[in-house]
Every structure is written in structure tokens, then in C-alpha cells.
Amino acid sequence: MSAGRMRGLARDRCRLHMLTWNVATAEPPEDVSSLLQLDVQPATDLFVIGLQEVSATPIRFISDLIVEDSWTHAFMDTLAPRGFVKVSSVRMQGLLLLLFAKQNHLPHIRDVQTTYTRTGVFGYWGNKGAVSVRFSFYGHMVCFLNCHLAAHLSNMLQRVDEMEYILETQDFESADAPHVLDHKVVFCFGDLNFRIADHGLHFLRSSINNGRLHLLWDRDQLLTMKKKEPFLQEFQEGPLNFSPTYKFARNSQSYDTSAQRTWLGFDGKKRKPAWTDRILWRVKPKILPSEEEDDRTSVTTDDGQDEYPLYVHQDKYTSDMSYGISDHKPVIATFSLEMRKCWDTPLVQVSPEGVWSADQDADLHYTVLEDFMSSTWDWIGLYKVGFKSASDYETFVWVRADNLPEVHETIQVTVDKDEVPLLGGNFVLGYFSTNMQSIVGLSASFEILESKRAVMEGLVPENLNGLHK
């Protein structure tokens, strides 16, 4: 189906913001908001953040398995007040991948799975490789791979082999999309480590300083290999109209062109700038842009799903030179995803009943609207508005423990008053599916009143709520 024909169909548009950054073991800066471009219009729906070389010393890595790492906290603390929730994260040594979604999209993000592939040092230490997250977004299967490939100018072919190995070997527990390339859209990004070959340092500097970046494209290793490797030809990338993002002197906007150090000492070669940090995407099946479309546009349909096409357009591809904590600069890409939603109703409807306060037991009810793989391990969380992730609940209750509900059967659940927040506030209820690893039903926002117990215990003034006077 052509993009022109698709535009004649009813469709929805979602905005995706992607970030890749090799942070070179640095701690996050005080403010990461400019990386996220939070005030841009139209507003963002999904954030996907891929970091490489997050500090992974043994003590740090073990602590990060117990609690969220500092980078995850920095992004959660910035995005949660804007109504974004961390849907998923995956970590392999220094590789970290984060997925955030606007709260209203949560019930429509399903079948979330993560995995990883090691490629460095015989695949043992995990210092190179890829981490991925895949999910169904309104019925469209999408996959994101955050990669860190082999370094150094001479290892171009090894990088290509590693990328192909990752794409071929990563798999998921899914009948619809068991392999990476089975997904309708795949984003492959990260520190891919491809360099600029042949050109000398003086020519590189001159081309960059004079804004003649196009003179360097024909020697960029990734662009060169795309002409030779069929699997790379399936991936698209916007034009490299931003300066190479590696290698910078720290806390500087100047390239570090000092001599390279090898295991045996200095080899005398000067470091050369390169576009190591990239964001690529692939649609299934690949349809080449027509004459009326540019190389930032693609459209795809799956066999048997012609009525549900997906249109991908890259709106921006750039870097942010203002951050200097790393020898890499962050790379940002934004996309418009136009699609016909395969469905737009939640699997579960959940609602509070009556007035909620910690002075009495509270009731809620939920109704399964469609048949799905529910479980007695599913639970309903009580979340304060602005919550950060599915685990950031005030309290939770298990769903019915005996027989699972039938479709359209309404089930009532009671929350003990001792579990209801004393201070009240604005909250939502979320039904979490353990099999889908996502919130598949979300209530409207509702108010929990400050309790009389809170007044008695001196947690709030007596005149804060008229009911407590």
C-alpha cells in the first residue's frame, strides 16, 4: 500500500523521541531535560533512551540490580512529573535501555519482553553487544535494540558481523514476532563505532569547521557497508547533517585528537572524529520511497494486515553539543508514527467505588473486556498521579485468587483501610498483567480524602479538609 493511499484512511499519529549516548562511565548531569525536548509540539508519546558505558564496576552493578541506577532515576525524575511512566528497562553491564510512555498509552502497550546479546571478549563479559525491548503498540509489533559494537578503525567488518549476529540470534517468546526482524518496525541504534576511513585529520577538521559534512559521507564506514550488505540496505537513516559525535575532550566542544594509546604504548596515530553514534530503522517489508517521498520516510504493511499500515517519518536527526561529561555527544532522533490502530480499547476496565479514605475499607471493581492470558498473579496497584513505573505503587491487591474471571464479568475487590494512604491525594488504579509485563487497564484519576486518622496523628491540620473539622 502506498503512503498516498494510506493517507486516505483514518489514522492516528504518535511521536517518538529517541536518544543514544555513550556516557563513558560518567554520572548523569544535574539537568537532562534538554535531551528530551519536553516542550516540543506536537507533544511526545514515547521516549526510548539507550545508553552505553554506564558505570559497571562490580559493586555498582550489583547495587543497580537491587535499586534503579542513577541514570534511570535522572530520567524518571524528569519525566514522571510530565505524565510519563517507565514501561520497561533492560541492563547488560554498561548497556542500558529505557522505555517511557505517556500514561494514557499504558493499556495499549502489551507483550513487553526484553533480552540481550553479548559479543565482546568471547561474549563472556558483556562489554559489547546489545540489549533490546519489544512490545505491541496498539497492535503493531515494534522492537528497539541498543547496541555497542567493536571499537577501532580497523574493525569495520567485525562490527558488521556483530550487528548481523545480534539481529539473527535475538529471539522472543512470541508466535507473532519471535525474531527481531519479524517486528513491523525495528530501531537499531547506539554506539555502533563505525569510523571515517581514508581521510586525513586535516581534511576532517576543515570539512567539519566549514560545515561541508557531505564531503565525509563517502568514507563513513556504515554508509560504505550499506552499499555492500543486503541486511544493512533494509535499514534507513536520516542524513548526517550534524558534526561527528566522537571523540571530544571532556567538558569541551573541541575534538580530542591526541595520540591513541594501545596495550603496548602509544602507536602515534591521531584520533579522528567519527559518527560512531547512530539511529537506524527498518520497516517490514521494506518498500523503497517513491519519488514524492524522501529518505526519511517509509511505510510498511504485514502480509494479511493491509488494512493496518504503519507510516514512519523521521522529523529530526541531530546531536546536542552542550553536554560535556563524556567523550561522546548525545544523538537525538524524533519520529512521527502514523498508523491505523489494530485496537484501542484496554483489556481490563478498572474503577474505584464510592468515597475512598483511610477511615474505612475501600472497594474497587474490574471487568475483563477481552480474553487474554490473565493470571492469579496479576495485581491491581494504587498509584499516585505522577507515578514513575508499574512498581511505584502505594499499595496493591491481588486479583481473584480462585477462578479467573470470564469476559465481561465484573469482580469486586476490597482494599484494607490500613493500606489506603492517610494523607489522600489524586490517584489512579492500574491492572498489571504478569504475562504481558504491562499495565493493561487504568482507571480515571480519582481523589482519596485525607483521613481523620491523619488529623489525629498530626499529619495534617484539622482545617485542611472540611470533613475533618
Side-chain angles (χ1 to χ4, degrees):
M1 179 181 293
S2 69
R5 179 182 167 190
M6 179 192 166
R7 294 187 184 101
L9 300 172
R11 65 191 185 277
D12 293 276
R13 174 176 292 186
C14 292
R15 189 172 186 274
L16 165 66
H17 182 107
M18 294 185 63
L19 165 69
T20 179
W21 192 8
N22 183 322
V23 298
T25 73
E27 287 297 297
E30 291 185 5
D31 185 4
V32 297
S33 58
S34 69
L35 293 170
L36 305 173
Q37 301 174 355
L38 295 171
D39 296 321
V40 72
Q41 292 297 326
T44 299
D45 296 279
L46 299 173
F47 284 97
V48 176
I49 300 165
L51 305 180
Q52 307 85 41
E53 292 194 24
V54 175
S55 181
T57 59
I59 293 177
R60 171 64 63 85
F61 187 66
I62 291 173
S63 67
D64 288 348
L65 295 177
I66 302 172
V67 296
E68 300 280 16
D69 63 276
S70 57
W71 281 96
T72 300
H73 274 297
F75 287 112
M76 286 198 303
D77 291 345
T78 302
L79 289 170
R82 299 288 189 123
F84 289 92
V85 178
K86 182 173 76 70
V87 176
S88 184
S89 64
V90 55
R91 173 100 185 255
M92 182 187 76
Q93 292 290 91
L95 279 166
L96 175 64
L97 178 58
L98 303 169
L99 166 64
F100 293 86
K102 199 73 175 174
Q103 182 177 303
N104 63 291
H105 294 303
L106 294 182
H108 311 292
I109 296 175
R110 306 174 187 172
D111 298 319
V112 180
Q113 293 184 40
T114 61
T115 189
Y116 61 87
T117 299
R118 296 186 176 100
T119 59
V121 192
F122 306 107
Y124 183 74
W125 293 107
N127 58 322
K128 293 291 192 296
V131 291
S132 63
V133 59
R134 54 84 68 155
F135 55 94
S136 168
F137 187 57
Y138 291 95
H140 295 277
M141 300 304 299
V142 294
C143 182
F144 295 85
L145 292 104
N146 173 24
C147 304
H148 194 185
L149 305 182
H152 307 305
L153 179 68
S154 60
N155 288 329
M156 175 178 66
L157 295 180
Q158 182 179 342
R159 286 188 277 277
V160 173
D161 289 342
E162 288 179 351
M163 192 171 174
E164 187 171 26
Y165 174 76
I166 290 166
L167 292 170
E168 290 180 348
T169 60
Q170 283 203 355
D171 52 22
F172 305 94
E173 296 179 3
S174 169
D176 296 330
H179 307 293
V180 170
L181 298 182
D182 294 329
H183 292 75
K184 184 170 281 191
V185 182
V186 176
F187 292 90
C188 184
F189 60 105
D191 183 358
L192 306 187
N193 251 323
F194 289 100
R195 309 303 172 97
I196 300 173
D198 299 335
H199 288 313
L201 182 57
H202 177 75
F203 184 81
L204 280 168
R205 276 178 163 174
S206 175
S207 300
I208 295 169
N209 291 337
N210 294 320
R212 297 165 65 87
L213 299 174
H214 64 281
L215 298 179
L216 308 178
W217 295 347
D218 64 343
R219 293 295 184 267
D220 176 81
Q221 291 180 334
L222 179 55
L223 296 180
T224 298
M225 293 307 297
K226 281 190 70 174
K227 299 175 183 177
K228 302 176 182 180
E229 294 288 341
F231 85 93
L232 286 176
Q233 293 169 12
E234 297 179 356
F235 283 87
Q236 294 178 264
E237 182 183 21
L240 298 170
N241 288 328
F242 52 91
S243 298
T245 53
Y246 176 84
K247 176 178 175 61
F248 283 83
R250 296 206 190 208
N251 300 309
S252 168
Q253 295 189 25
S254 300
Y255 290 99
D256 178 3
T257 55
S258 58
Q260 292 180 332
R261 179 183 292 276
T262 70
W263 288 355
L264 300 178
F266 287 97
D267 63 9
K269 295 180 180 179
K270 297 289 187 177
R271 293 189 177 99
K272 294 196 297 184
W275 285 290
T276 57
D277 311 286
R278 313 288 277 268
I279 297 176
L280 315 176
W281 78 96
R282 172 195 185 268
V283 295
K284 179 202 175 195
K286 184 74 172 68
I287 297 178
L288 296 176
S290 66
E291 294 180 358
E292 62 185 26
E293 297 163 347
D294 58 30
D295 61 356
R296 299 174 302 167
T297 302
S298 52
V299 62
T300 181
T301 61
D302 282 347
D303 293 341
Q305 284 196 329
D306 291 349
E307 58 183 318
Y308 298 110
L310 177 62
Y311 177 85
V312 181
H313 179 81
Q314 187 179 69
D315 301 312
K316 181 182 294 185
Y317 191 30
T318 188
S319 62
D320 189 332
M321 294 290 172
S322 66
Y323 288 89
I325 61 174
S326 169
D327 53 358
H328 291 250
K329 299 298 183 182
V331 171
I332 296 165
T334 61
F335 297 87
S336 295
L337 307 180
E338 290 188 34
M339 72 185 91
R340 289 197 67 208
K341 296 175 180 177
C342 300
W343 35 257
D344 59 2
T345 57
L347 292 176
V348 178
Q349 185 179 66
V350 56
S351 301
E353 292 184 0
V355 176
W356 279 48
S357 81
D359 295 322
Q360 59 191 18
D361 292 345
D363 292 323
L364 63 90
H365 66 264
Y366 70 94
T367 306
V368 175
L369 301 180
E370 294 183 30
D371 190 23
F372 72 103
M373 291 182 61
S374 58
S375 166
T376 55
W377 292 103
D378 293 351
W379 43 269
I380 298 171
L382 175 66
Y383 298 96
K384 195 170 184 64
V385 169
F387 66 101
K388 298 177 180 179
S389 68
S391 60
D392 186 26
Y393 47 75
E394 300 294 317
T395 187
F396 75 94
V397 289
W398 298 106
V399 300
R400 190 168 66 179
D402 44 12
N403 295 324
L404 291 173
E406 300 291 335
V407 176
H408 300 306
E409 179 184 1
T410 297
I411 307 298
Q412 181 172 302
V413 181
T414 298
V415 180
D416 189 280
K417 64 181 181 181
D418 291 332
E419 300 298 325
V420 177
L422 288 172
L423 296 178
N426 292 318
F427 293 82
V428 294
L429 295 166
Y431 184 109
F432 185 84
S433 165
T434 55
N435 287 323
M436 291 191 172
Q437 284 297 294
S438 60
I439 293 175
V440 297
L442 200 64
S443 76
S445 172
F446 67 100
E447 184 181 7
I448 295 180
L449 300 178
E450 291 85 358
S451 68
K452 296 177 181 178
R453 290 166 52 201
V455 176
M456 293 172 61
E457 295 178 18
L459 298 178
V460 293
E462 283 194 42
N463 63 353
L464 182 63
N465 189 314
L467 295 177
H468 300 323
K469 289 182 179 179

